[in-house]
Amino acid sequence: MAENTGISWADHTFNPWWGCAKVSPACRFCYAKATDSRWGGNHWGRTVGRRMMSEGNWAKPLKWNREAVAEGKTLRVFSASMADVFEDHPDVVDARRRLWDLIEQTPALTWMLLTKRPENVAGMVPWGYPWPRNVWLGVSAETQRFADQRIPALLALPAPVKFVSAAPLLGPVDLDPAYCDAHGRTEIVVDGDGREWCGYCAADGFTGELSYGHWLDPENGGISWVITEGESGPKARPTHPAWFRSLRDQCQAAGVVFHHKQNGEWHDQYPADWPIGDAWLNPQRHCWVDPVTGKTKPFGEFTGTEDEAWAHVARVGLKAAGRLLDGELHDGHPVGAVAR
């Protein structure tokens, strides 16, 4: 069965409507908004309308379901690449209800719902506990700020598979954060005996006990799957390669499935056919990336070299950057039971 999507972690993409509103830094250069504009649309923003899809489009998942049953397999469907299913917009209320009906009519499809608005989910889905086994829920977490904001809301919901899309990854993300009762999420300091304490408490001259988020805990309702991706497009921001490696390593240590979709437009190795010394010949396509903030600065003889943690990356293009992380393809998908 042929795939109908270029998204490496899905077999099909289904959009019940087009349109959304920007809510966080990941939205800044939204590919979906750019696609909508290329087709002459104006469906991005809180006050503009949403584009409803045709009856022919709504019939596609029913066809995919029949084909999946005939072939004895399940297919992963991402809904929606051109919208956020859980956006609170008056135009989409009826279409969202229709989507729930469609999901229940297609038990051979695994529906993957990805949102930047997990706080809206409980009030919009028709399911209590448990959810249908073919409905997976994910949140976008492009930086630690939005991981801290969205992942606890995700983990409070009874989806059978919960996932995180760190895409585009714009900063380092820790998926097992430390907390203290007084300060919430905190930095860790280690005392002379090797014990870990809250950094904010230590700065104030007293100790604070820590607990941990344990977000990467699929056996106990935690995250089962992490997807990483660098940004694409003409204005793409570079990702520090250490951020990808950190999430890969966190997943491997916790036994969580990891999928690296793409490196983005920028990479820390540039093509062999570029001239030697290209960074000096063409400094406009090279820059340094701060490992903590993600801020960039231009390439220069002394720029960035005072701190080896800064990454020298080049704009090589999406195809040349590819999907390999340290020479390895990470193409993992959860194996989830789907009701027939």
Side-chain angles (χ1 to χ4, degrees):
M1 184 182 302
E3 298 180 357
N4 80 334
T5 180
I7 297 173
S8 60
W9 46 272
D11 298 309
H12 294 287
T13 301
F14 175 74
N15 284 291
W17 61 84
W18 281 21
C20 197
K22 296 182 178 183
V23 293
S24 69
C27 304
R28 184 177 179 186
F29 304 123
C30 177
Y31 74 90
K33 180 180 184 297
T35 300
D36 182 55
S37 297
R38 283 198 300 271
W39 286 88
N42 179 29
H43 304 101
W44 253 257
R46 300 183 187 280
T47 60
V48 299
R50 301 294 181 253
R51 175 187 172 189
M52 296 297 113
M53 297 293 102
S54 68
E55 289 301 310
N57 183 67
W58 281 91
K60 290 178 181 178
L62 297 172
K63 176 176 178 288
W64 302 334
N65 189 75
R66 291 192 298 270
E67 292 172 347
V69 170
E71 296 183 20
K73 61 168 63 174
T74 59
L75 295 172
R76 297 180 301 271
V77 178
F78 171 37
S79 183
S81 64
M82 295 292 294
D84 187 328
V85 169
F86 297 104
E87 183 193 19
D88 186 10
H89 190 283
D91 282 6
V92 307
V93 174
D94 291 340
R96 185 164 44 233
R97 292 196 189 106
R98 186 177 181 182
L99 176 63
W100 306 148
D101 291 340
L102 180 63
I103 288 172
E104 293 180 353
Q105 294 172 48
T106 53
L109 304 180
T110 295
W111 288 84
M112 302 178 296
L113 310 178
L114 177 62
T115 185
K116 292 181 175 68
R117 300 166 171 87
E119 68 279 3
N120 292 342
V121 173
M124 291 182 176
V125 297
W127 312 298
Y129 181 86
W131 279 24
R133 289 160 58 190
N134 67 327
V135 183
W136 299 358
L137 181 64
V139 295
S140 299
E142 65 266 39
T143 63
Q144 191 68 53
R145 171 190 171 190
F146 291 98
D148 291 346
Q149 176 182 312
R150 294 169 182 157
I151 292 175
L154 168 69
L155 299 185
L157 296 161
V161 172
K162 299 165 188 173
F163 65 97
V164 169
S165 174
L169 186 55
L170 301 176
V173 175
D174 179 4
L175 293 178
D176 191 19
Y179 291 88
C180 94
D181 290 341
H183 295 99
R185 190 180 187 283
T186 186
E187 299 297 325
I188 301 171
V189 296
V190 181
D191 66 17
D193 296 323
R195 293 174 299 183
E196 295 181 339
W197 304 99
C198 168
Y200 300 118
C201 290
D204 292 335
F206 59 95
T207 57
E209 295 283 352
L210 295 178
S211 60
Y212 290 86
H214 296 303
W215 294 344
L216 293 174
D217 189 7
E219 298 300 320
N220 294 292
I223 297 164
S224 299
W225 188 24
V226 174
I227 302 163
T228 55
E229 176 182 351
E231 193 164 43
S232 59
K235 297 181 179 179
R237 293 157 286 185
T239 296
H240 195 294
W243 303 339
F244 291 141
R245 295 180 182 120
S246 173
L247 285 170
R248 174 200 61 196
D249 295 347
Q250 290 178 57
C251 289
Q252 289 178 346
V256 167
V257 179
F258 178 71
H259 186 107
H260 185 53
K261 179 177 181 286
Q262 64 188 35
N263 288 307
E265 300 282 345
W266 298 80
H267 202 275
D268 57 350
Q269 297 179 0
Y270 51 84
D273 60 351
W274 283 17
I276 295 174
D278 184 77
W280 303 107
L281 297 171
N282 299 288
Q284 73 282 356
R285 62 183 181 188
H286 295 258
C287 71
W288 295 92
V289 185
D290 187 312
V292 177
T293 67
K295 292 182 179 179
T296 62
K297 51 186 174 181
F299 182 83
E301 185 172 358
F302 300 107
T303 303
T305 57
E306 71 279 1
D307 185 346
E308 293 180 357
W310 283 71
H312 170 203
V313 296
R315 186 173 190 123
V316 302
L318 191 64
K319 183 177 180 180
R323 294 190 56 203
L324 298 183
L325 179 57
D326 293 333
E328 184 177 354
L329 179 66
H330 296 275
D331 208 22
H333 302 86
V335 179
V338 177
R340 278 292 205 267

mmCIF file of all heavy atoms in Angstrom, residues 249-264:
data_model
loop_
_atom_site.group_PDB
_atom_site.id
_atom_site.type_symbol
_atom_site.label_atom_id
_atom_site.label_comp_id
_atom_site.label_asym_id
_atom_site.label_seq_id
_atom_site.Cartn_x
_atom_site.Cartn_y
_atom_site.Cartn_z
ATOM 1 N N ASP A 249 19.669 9.994 23.552
ATOM 2 C CA ASP A 249 20.262 9.287 24.683
ATOM 3 C C ASP A 249 19.269 9.125 25.833
ATOM 4 O O ASP A 249 19.239 8.078 26.505
ATOM 5 C CB ASP A 249 21.511 10.024 25.167
ATOM 6 C CG ASP A 249 22.628 10.028 24.122
ATOM 7 O OD1 ASP A 249 22.528 9.265 23.139
ATOM 8 O OD2 ASP A 249 23.585 10.819 24.289
ATOM 9 N N GLN A 250 18.460 10.151 26.072
ATOM 10 C CA GLN A 250 17.444 10.040 27.117
ATOM 11 C C GLN A 250 16.459 8.910 26.801
ATOM 12 O O GLN A 250 16.082 8.138 27.685
ATOM 13 C CB GLN A 250 16.677 11.360 27.246
ATOM 14 C CG GLN A 250 17.477 12.509 27.832
ATOM 15 C CD GLN A 250 16.658 13.787 27.868
ATOM 16 O OE1 GLN A 250 15.582 13.835 28.463
ATOM 17 N NE2 GLN A 250 17.163 14.832 27.217
ATOM 18 N N CYS A 251 16.053 8.824 25.541
ATOM 19 C CA CYS A 251 15.110 7.777 25.145
ATOM 20 C C CYS A 251 15.737 6.395 25.273
ATOM 21 O O CYS A 251 15.108 5.455 25.783
ATOM 22 C CB CYS A 251 14.631 8.005 23.711
ATOM 23 S SG CYS A 251 13.520 9.412 23.530
ATOM 24 N N GLN A 252 16.958 6.254 24.820
ATOM 25 C CA GLN A 252 17.615 4.957 24.899
ATOM 26 C C GLN A 252 17.777 4.510 26.345
ATOM 27 O O GLN A 252 17.578 3.334 26.669
ATOM 28 C CB GLN A 252 18.967 5.025 24.186
ATOM 29 C CG GLN A 252 18.834 5.139 22.669
ATOM 30 C CD GLN A 252 20.172 5.264 21.956
ATOM 31 O OE1 GLN A 252 21.213 5.524 22.581
ATOM 32 N NE2 GLN A 252 20.167 5.084 20.646
ATOM 33 N N ALA A 253 18.116 5.435 27.235
ATOM 34 C CA ALA A 253 18.287 5.087 28.645
ATOM 35 C C ALA A 253 16.974 4.664 29.294
ATOM 36 O O ALA A 253 16.962 3.827 30.203
ATOM 37 C CB ALA A 253 18.889 6.264 29.404
ATOM 38 N N ALA A 254 15.857 5.235 28.816
ATOM 39 C CA ALA A 254 14.551 4.942 29.418
ATOM 40 C C ALA A 254 13.776 3.869 28.672
ATOM 41 O O ALA A 254 12.669 3.509 29.087
ATOM 42 C CB ALA A 254 13.721 6.227 29.471
ATOM 43 N N GLY A 255 14.319 3.350 27.576
ATOM 44 C CA GLY A 255 13.600 2.354 26.800
ATOM 45 C C GLY A 255 12.417 2.921 26.045
ATOM 46 O O GLY A 255 11.407 2.232 25.845
ATOM 47 N N VAL A 256 12.539 4.170 25.603
ATOM 48 C CA VAL A 256 11.465 4.852 24.877
ATOM 49 C C VAL A 256 11.821 4.917 23.401
ATOM 50 O O VAL A 256 12.977 5.154 23.027
ATOM 51 C CB VAL A 256 11.256 6.272 25.461
ATOM 52 C CG1 VAL A 256 10.382 7.119 24.562
ATOM 53 C CG2 VAL A 256 10.644 6.171 26.856
ATOM 54 N N VAL A 257 10.831 4.723 22.546
ATOM 55 C CA VAL A 257 11.042 4.716 21.100
ATOM 56 C C VAL A 257 11.436 6.115 20.629
ATOM 57 O O VAL A 257 10.813 7.117 21.006
ATOM 58 C CB VAL A 257 9.775 4.241 20.370
ATOM 59 C CG1 VAL A 257 9.988 4.261 18.859
ATOM 60 C CG2 VAL A 257 9.392 2.837 20.830
ATOM 61 N N PHE A 258 12.454 6.173 19.777
ATOM 62 C CA PHE A 258 12.982 7.449 19.284
ATOM 63 C C PHE A 258 12.926 7.470 17.760
ATOM 64 O O PHE A 258 13.285 6.486 17.100
ATOM 65 C CB PHE A 258 14.430 7.626 19.754
ATOM 66 C CG PHE A 258 15.099 8.878 19.259
ATOM 67 C CD1 PHE A 258 14.730 10.121 19.749
ATOM 68 C CD2 PHE A 258 16.115 8.820 18.306
ATOM 69 C CE1 PHE A 258 15.347 11.284 19.300
ATOM 70 C CE2 PHE A 258 16.745 9.971 17.855
ATOM 71 C CZ PHE A 258 16.357 11.205 18.357
ATOM 72 N N HIS A 259 12.474 8.601 17.207
ATOM 73 C CA HIS A 259 12.366 8.772 15.760
ATOM 74 C C HIS A 259 12.954 10.124 15.387
ATOM 75 O O HIS A 259 12.472 11.163 15.848
ATOM 76 C CB HIS A 259 10.903 8.704 15.325
ATOM 77 C CG HIS A 259 10.702 8.724 13.844
ATOM 78 N ND1 HIS A 259 10.327 7.605 13.131
ATOM 79 C CD2 HIS A 259 10.807 9.719 12.929
ATOM 80 C CE1 HIS A 259 10.215 7.909 11.851
ATOM 81 N NE2 HIS A 259 10.511 9.196 11.710
ATOM 82 N N HIS A 260 14.004 10.106 14.575
ATOM 83 C CA HIS A 260 14.616 11.363 14.113
ATOM 84 C C HIS A 260 14.153 11.611 12.680
ATOM 85 O O HIS A 260 14.592 10.952 11.746
ATOM 86 C CB HIS A 260 16.133 11.260 14.185
ATOM 87 C CG HIS A 260 16.848 12.529 13.844
ATOM 88 N ND1 HIS A 260 16.570 13.732 14.466
ATOM 89 C CD2 HIS A 260 17.834 12.797 12.935
ATOM 90 C CE1 HIS A 260 17.344 14.668 13.971
ATOM 91 N NE2 HIS A 260 18.114 14.145 13.036
ATOM 92 N N LYS A 261 13.261 12.581 12.521
ATOM 93 C CA LYS A 261 12.634 12.810 11.224
ATOM 94 C C LYS A 261 13.586 13.471 10.225
ATOM 95 O O LYS A 261 13.655 13.074 9.060
ATOM 96 C CB LYS A 261 11.391 13.681 11.393
ATOM 97 C CG LYS A 261 10.662 14.011 10.098
ATOM 98 C CD LYS A 261 9.406 14.814 10.381
ATOM 99 C CE LYS A 261 8.656 15.136 9.094
ATOM 100 N NZ LYS A 261 9.323 16.172 8.293
ATOM 101 N N GLN A 262 14.320 14.493 10.671
ATOM 102 C CA GLN A 262 15.227 15.186 9.752
ATOM 103 C C GLN A 262 16.116 16.128 10.544
ATOM 104 O O GLN A 262 15.772 16.560 11.645
ATOM 105 C CB GLN A 262 14.455 15.989 8.704
ATOM 106 C CG GLN A 262 13.615 17.130 9.288
ATOM 107 C CD GLN A 262 12.704 17.786 8.283
ATOM 108 O OE1 GLN A 262 12.172 17.149 7.389
ATOM 109 N NE2 GLN A 262 12.505 19.096 8.431
ATOM 110 N N ASN A 263 17.283 16.436 9.966
ATOM 111 C CA ASN A 263 18.200 17.382 10.597
ATOM 112 C C ASN A 263 17.819 18.829 10.329
ATOM 113 O O ASN A 263 18.277 19.726 11.031
ATOM 114 C CB ASN A 263 19.623 17.122 10.110
ATOM 115 C CG ASN A 263 20.189 15.837 10.685
ATOM 116 O OD1 ASN A 263 20.191 15.635 11.894
ATOM 117 N ND2 ASN A 263 20.651 14.939 9.826
ATOM 118 N N GLY A 264 17.019 19.072 9.297
ATOM 119 C CA GLY A 264 16.658 20.433 8.940
ATOM 120 C C GLY A 264 17.576 20.987 7.862
ATOM 121 O O GLY A 264 18.296 20.253 7.182
#
